[in-house]
Amino acid sequence: MRPQRRGGTAGFSLGSRLGENTAVDKIPDNRGAQAGGAQTRRHGAELEAAILDAAWEQLVAEGYEHFTIDAVAARAQTSKPVLYRRWKTRDDLLRATARHRGAADAPPIPDTGALRGDLLALLANANTTSNPMAALVSSMLGSYYNQTGPTPAELREAFLSQRGSGSAVQQIVDRAIERGEVDPARLTPRIIALPFDLFRNEMLMTLKPVPDHVLRQIVDDIFIPLVSPQPPTG
């Protein structure tokens, strides 16, 4: 059962903000302006990207408890009405932030010519202290039992939603099938997800990079034996 929220929500509906001037959608940006120079204005996609970048910085620096419309607006050097025009609640903003960051941080898919090398390289790329997914979930944990927000699974779905068709593991496995390294009859969606399910479990238990020998165990001892073609019997 999800814990009940204690205290008020940090994100309010747009309808409760009707007394504010929500017509303003172009906010002066003084960053980088020269002394005596004209102010620049951000708008459209540029403004939205700047807000979502600032929202990510706020989330990682202060955690979910302090991830508020007010705080993000201040960090983005804009106004609250500009945010409320786009996201009615802070959880809407959080999901948009996860999607934005996931699209920006999509890594290249390794192609070493072998299933083992591809999987180890993919896990190694994710296995860093700057892993944005780990930072995202870590920022939620400190206040998770005090406030009800999106689950880690929901945030992961948002985070990965802009990365094209098929997961990285799926693409690696598809190539391995063509090389004869994998028996497609042994695959299920759960098995394909297994390497990163195990990786995330290890990382989230400690919020630290996973030791290299554990990555090798995930690939060599668990995944590859599970999907490799079986020798003929008899």
Side-chain angles (χ1 to χ4, degrees), residues 141-163:
L141 293 179
S143 58
Y144 185 74
Y145 290 103
N146 292 328
Q147 305 191 54
T148 301
T151 66
E154 290 169 338
L155 292 180
R156 175 179 176 271
E157 181 178 356
F159 187 84
L160 298 176
S161 63
Q162 303 302 309
R163 292 193 176 182

Side-chain angles (χ1 to χ4, degrees), residues 121-176:
L122 187 67
L123 290 171
N125 287 341
N127 191 36
T128 66
T129 54
S130 60
N131 183 327
M133 189 63 208
L136 180 64
V137 176
S138 177
S139 70
M140 299 286 292
L141 293 179
S143 58
Y144 185 74
Y145 290 103
N146 292 328
Q147 305 191 54
T148 301
T151 66
E154 290 169 338
L155 292 180
R156 175 179 176 271
E157 181 178 356
F159 187 84
L160 298 176
S161 63
Q162 303 302 309
R163 292 193 176 182
S165 60
S167 70
V169 175
Q170 178 70 68
Q171 295 180 57
I172 286 173
V173 166
D174 287 344
R175 291 200 300 254

Side-chain angles (χ1 to χ4, degrees), residues 13-213:
S13 68
L14 180 61
S16 67
R17 313 295 298 184
L18 292 180
E20 299 186 12
N21 176 15
T22 59
V24 178
D25 201 31
K26 297 181 180 181
I27 303 300
D29 183 357
N30 297 323
R31 291 174 293 181
Q34 300 294 323
Q39 293 179 340
T40 60
R41 289 180 179 272
R42 299 168 293 168
H43 54 86
E46 180 187 4
L47 174 59
E48 185 163 314
I51 293 171
L52 293 174
D53 286 341
W56 175 261
E57 294 170 4
Q58 176 65 25
L59 181 64
V60 172
E62 303 291 341
Y64 179 70
E65 185 176 2
H66 300 287
F67 184 81
T68 65
I69 296 292
D70 292 43
V72 172
R75 190 177 285 264
Q77 299 182 19
T78 187
S79 70
K80 292 186 291 182
V82 170
L83 272 69
Y84 281 117
R85 284 173 63 88
R86 291 163 171 79
W87 307 285
K88 293 183 179 181
T89 69
R90 71 164 174 172
D91 287 344
D92 291 339
L93 175 59
L94 179 60
R95 291 185 178 91
T97 300
R99 286 192 295 270
H100 176 74
R101 188 67 179 190
D105 286 334
I109 298 175
D111 189 359
T112 67
L115 173 63
R116 181 179 188 273
D118 288 351
L119 285 176
L120 286 174
L122 187 67
L123 290 171
N125 287 341
N127 191 36
T128 66
T129 54
S130 60
N131 183 327
M133 189 63 208
L136 180 64
V137 176
S138 177
S139 70
M140 299 286 292
L141 293 179
S143 58
Y144 185 74
Y145 290 103
N146 292 328
Q147 305 191 54
T148 301
T151 66
E154 290 169 338
L155 292 180
R156 175 179 176 271
E157 181 178 356
F159 187 84
L160 298 176
S161 63
Q162 303 302 309
R163 292 193 176 182
S165 60
S167 70
V169 175
Q170 178 70 68
Q171 295 180 57
I172 286 173
V173 166
D174 287 344
R175 291 200 300 254
I177 291 172
E178 294 178 359
R179 294 191 296 263
E181 294 180 88
V182 170
D183 179 359
R186 306 190 71 190
L187 296 176
T188 67
R190 177 63 70 182
I191 289 176
I192 292 171
L194 186 60
F196 265 89
D197 285 346
L198 295 173
F199 168 76
R200 277 190 299 271
N201 179 72
E202 293 284 341
M203 177 172 280
L204 294 178
M205 289 301 99
T206 63
L207 298 179
K208 296 178 180 179
V210 180
D212 288 344
H213 75 276

